[in-house]
mmCIF file of all heavy atoms in Angstrom:
data_model
loop_
_atom_site.group_PDB
_atom_site.id
_atom_site.type_symbol
_atom_site.label_atom_id
_atom_site.label_comp_id
_atom_site.label_asym_id
_atom_site.label_seq_id
_atom_site.Cartn_x
_atom_site.Cartn_y
_atom_site.Cartn_z
ATOM 1 N N VAL A 12 149.350 -86.628 46.768
ATOM 2 C CA VAL A 12 149.104 -86.721 48.240
ATOM 3 C C VAL A 12 148.095 -87.695 48.531
ATOM 4 O O VAL A 12 146.847 -87.478 48.157
ATOM 5 C CB VAL A 12 148.788 -85.331 48.817
ATOM 6 C CG1 VAL A 12 148.628 -85.277 50.350
ATOM 7 C CG2 VAL A 12 149.897 -84.277 48.411
ATOM 8 N N ARG A 13 148.435 -88.716 49.176
ATOM 9 C CA ARG A 13 147.459 -89.928 49.395
ATOM 10 C C ARG A 13 146.559 -89.691 50.640
ATOM 11 O O ARG A 13 145.591 -90.429 50.764
ATOM 12 C CB ARG A 13 148.164 -91.225 49.533
ATOM 13 C CG ARG A 13 148.987 -91.464 48.221
ATOM 14 C CD ARG A 13 149.924 -92.663 48.259
ATOM 15 N NE ARG A 13 150.344 -93.144 46.993
ATOM 16 C CZ ARG A 13 151.554 -93.414 46.770
ATOM 17 N NH1 ARG A 13 152.436 -93.463 47.766
ATOM 18 N NH2 ARG A 13 151.973 -93.807 45.592
ATOM 19 N N GLY A 14 146.691 -88.707 51.492
ATOM 20 C CA GLY A 14 145.864 -88.446 52.590
ATOM 21 C C GLY A 14 145.904 -89.489 53.664
ATOM 22 O O GLY A 14 144.903 -89.636 54.333
ATOM 23 N N PHE A 15 147.008 -90.169 53.864
ATOM 24 C CA PHE A 15 147.143 -91.146 54.960
ATOM 25 C C PHE A 15 146.975 -90.435 56.276
ATOM 26 O O PHE A 15 147.374 -89.179 56.408
ATOM 27 C CB PHE A 15 148.465 -91.838 54.847
ATOM 28 C CG PHE A 15 148.562 -92.730 53.675
ATOM 29 C CD1 PHE A 15 149.772 -93.213 53.198
ATOM 30 C CD2 PHE A 15 147.442 -93.251 52.950
ATOM 31 C CE1 PHE A 15 150.043 -93.981 52.151
ATOM 32 C CE2 PHE A 15 147.590 -94.029 51.882
ATOM 33 C CZ PHE A 15 148.859 -94.399 51.370
ATOM 34 N N SER A 16 146.515 -91.122 57.271
ATOM 35 C CA SER A 16 146.432 -90.578 58.628
ATOM 36 C C SER A 16 146.915 -91.828 59.557
ATOM 37 O O SER A 16 147.062 -92.878 59.102
ATOM 38 C CB SER A 16 145.047 -90.187 58.907
ATOM 39 O OG SER A 16 144.151 -91.215 58.797
ATOM 40 N N ASN A 70 153.028 -91.240 52.140
ATOM 41 C CA ASN A 70 151.920 -90.325 51.957
ATOM 42 C C ASN A 70 151.960 -89.351 50.873
ATOM 43 O O ASN A 70 151.004 -89.051 50.168
ATOM 44 C CB ASN A 70 151.761 -89.485 53.259
ATOM 45 C CG ASN A 70 150.492 -88.539 53.190
ATOM 46 O OD1 ASN A 70 149.368 -89.013 53.114
ATOM 47 N ND2 ASN A 70 150.711 -87.278 53.288
#
Side-chain angles (χ1 to χ4, degrees):
V12 180
R13 295 178 171 132
F15 292 157
S16 60
N70 180 61

